[in-house]
Amino acid sequence: MEQHSATTLEHAFLQLCESSDQNSTQESSSESEPLEKGQAFGNGRDESQPILAVGPPPVEEVPKCTADWVVWARHLLPKGRNIGALVIKTMVRMKRMPGSLCFQFLLPVIQISLICLCVGGDPKGIKVAVVNNDTSPLSSSFSVSLLSFLDNSSVIQVPLPHKEAFEGVHKGRYWGVIGFGQNFTSYLTKRILQRQVSKEVIDGGSMHVWLDLTNRQIGLMLQKQLHQAFQDFVDFKMGGLAYLAALPIKFEEPIYGSLDMDFTTYVTPGAVLSISFYLALGLTALSFVLERKEGLLDRCWVA
């Protein structure tokens, strides 16, 4: 820099390149002067005229250079001081840009929080059409008592006739239809008290459900709510004898997890992995853009 009176290394390097180009141009011009004067060989041939070879030009043997694998590996592996220099460069840039540092740390927290709040929770306000044809009085009707155990915040019951209920499901107004037969209370009592009943009694004493499974999460939630409501209804009506009318499948305490685990628990690990991958990808692309803008990218490649 002192020799060329330059303010930066780049300016001094530019002057060296220009002087080197001028020297190479002068050497090429000095070599071409004898050809332009038209000097002749001993046999009278003009030196400036091209000489056409009769046969193919002789092939020059290029010496084969072999490199030791230790030297090759030494040059292939990154140097510790180069990695340290890049780390220091990154730390200096992070110190100069505290806003970018806060963005890198806060963005994953915000994304995970939004996913936990918006994805995987139990849906609320699901409208379901109820077709209750039970002829028993309301005070002793098992269908009314069973429907009272449904979670009203999750399932909104809409009493409708049979035809309007199915039309509403076809038009997308409701997510399912819950139907009770005319003799639901009496048939269900027979199923509980008698040992042997006919198929008609079993069918009439059952709660029939038609679901819209275009959204599988809502369908699974409705199935879970109906099973839980039936179990609560049996426990309320039979008390200590509820085991007689319970389902023949009993789920014990799980080995891992819990019975009331929500879907968010399963969504979160995949969301964390995807966010980590795409965030690292975006930050790497952003660092390339910033380094190219600041003129550091070529230096990093050299290092």
Side-chain angles (χ1 to χ4, degrees):
M1 289 168 60
E2 293 178 357
Q3 182 178 358
H4 293 275
S5 300
T7 57
T8 59
L9 283 174
E10 286 79 2
H11 190 233
F13 182 71
L14 178 62
Q15 292 184 4
L16 287 174
C17 293
E18 290 177 350
S19 60
S20 176
D21 291 340
Q22 293 176 0
N23 294 333
S24 61
T25 305
Q26 293 176 0
E27 291 178 359
S28 61
S29 61
S30 62
E31 291 178 356
S32 61
E33 285 179 358
L35 298 178
E36 292 176 357
K37 292 179 181 180
Q39 295 179 358
F41 290 105
N43 54 3
R45 184 183 297 275
D46 190 357
E47 188 179 0
S48 62
Q49 299 296 327
I51 302 175
L52 297 179
V54 179
V59 179
E60 297 182 358
E61 294 184 358
V62 180
K64 296 182 179 180
C65 299
T66 58
D68 190 5
W69 66 273
V70 178
V71 178
W72 178 78
R74 187 181 302 169
H75 287 280
L76 181 64
L77 296 177
K79 303 295 189 300
R81 60 180 183 179
N82 295 341
I83 296 177
L86 294 176
V87 170
I88 294 173
K89 183 262 301 180
T90 306
M91 296 296 293
V92 170
R93 190 174 62 187
M94 291 169 60
K95 184 178 179 181
R96 292 177 180 176
M97 301 175 63
S100 175
L101 186 63
C102 296
F103 171 77
Q104 295 178 15
F105 280 98
L106 291 179
L107 184 62
V109 178
I110 295 174
Q111 289 178 327
I112 294 296
S113 302
L114 290 177
I115 287 177
C116 293
L117 290 174
C118 302
V119 180
D122 290 334
K124 304 292 183 180
I126 304 301
K127 291 185 177 181
V128 176
V130 178
V131 181
N132 192 356
N133 296 324
D134 194 1
T135 56
S136 300
L138 295 178
S139 58
S140 60
S141 177
F142 283 177
S143 60
V144 177
S145 179
L146 176 58
L147 291 174
S148 65
F149 287 96
L150 279 174
D151 186 8
N152 294 326
S153 62
S154 300
V155 182
I156 299 177
Q157 305 173 28
V158 182
L160 290 173
H162 185 275
K163 184 178 180 180
E164 295 181 6
F166 281 89
E167 287 181 355
V169 174
H170 288 303
K171 292 181 180 180
R173 300 197 197 104
Y174 313 108
W175 288 96
V177 178
I178 302 175
F180 297 95
Q182 295 181 357
N183 301 321
F184 175 77
T185 302
S186 60
Y187 283 166
L188 183 59
T189 305
K190 291 180 180 180
R191 288 187 60 181
I192 295 174
L193 299 178
Q194 297 180 8
R195 292 185 177 181
Q196 295 182 355
V197 293
S198 62
K199 184 178 180 181
E200 180 183 358
V201 174
I202 294 177
D203 188 69
S206 301
M207 177 177 56
H208 298 271
V209 182
W210 296 267
L211 294 177
D212 179 9
L213 291 179
T214 52
N215 191 322
R216 186 162 181 80
Q217 185 178 2
I218 293 179
L220 293 176
M221 187 274 295
L222 289 176
Q223 293 179 19
K224 179 182 177 181
Q225 292 289 339
L226 292 173
H227 282 293
Q228 187 64 36
F230 177 76
Q231 189 64 42
D232 295 340
F233 164 75
V234 172
D235 294 340
F236 174 76
K237 289 294 183 181
M238 301 187 65
L241 300 177
Y243 65 91
L244 297 175
L247 294 175
I249 301 176
K250 185 177 181 181
F251 290 97
E252 304 292 346
E253 285 296 325
I255 300 175
Y256 296 107
S258 63
L259 292 173
D260 297 330
M261 188 177 296
D262 54 355
F263 191 68
T264 308
T265 309
Y266 300 97
V267 175
T268 305
V272 170
L273 288 177
S274 60
I275 289 174
S276 302
F277 173 75
Y278 286 108
L279 185 65
L281 186 66
L283 294 177
T284 304
L286 181 62
S287 65
F288 276 120
V289 173
L290 293 177
E291 289 179 358
R292 182 179 291 275
K293 182 180 179 182
E294 296 172 358
L296 297 176
L297 186 61
D298 294 337
R299 296 186 179 185
C300 292
W301 285 123
V302 170

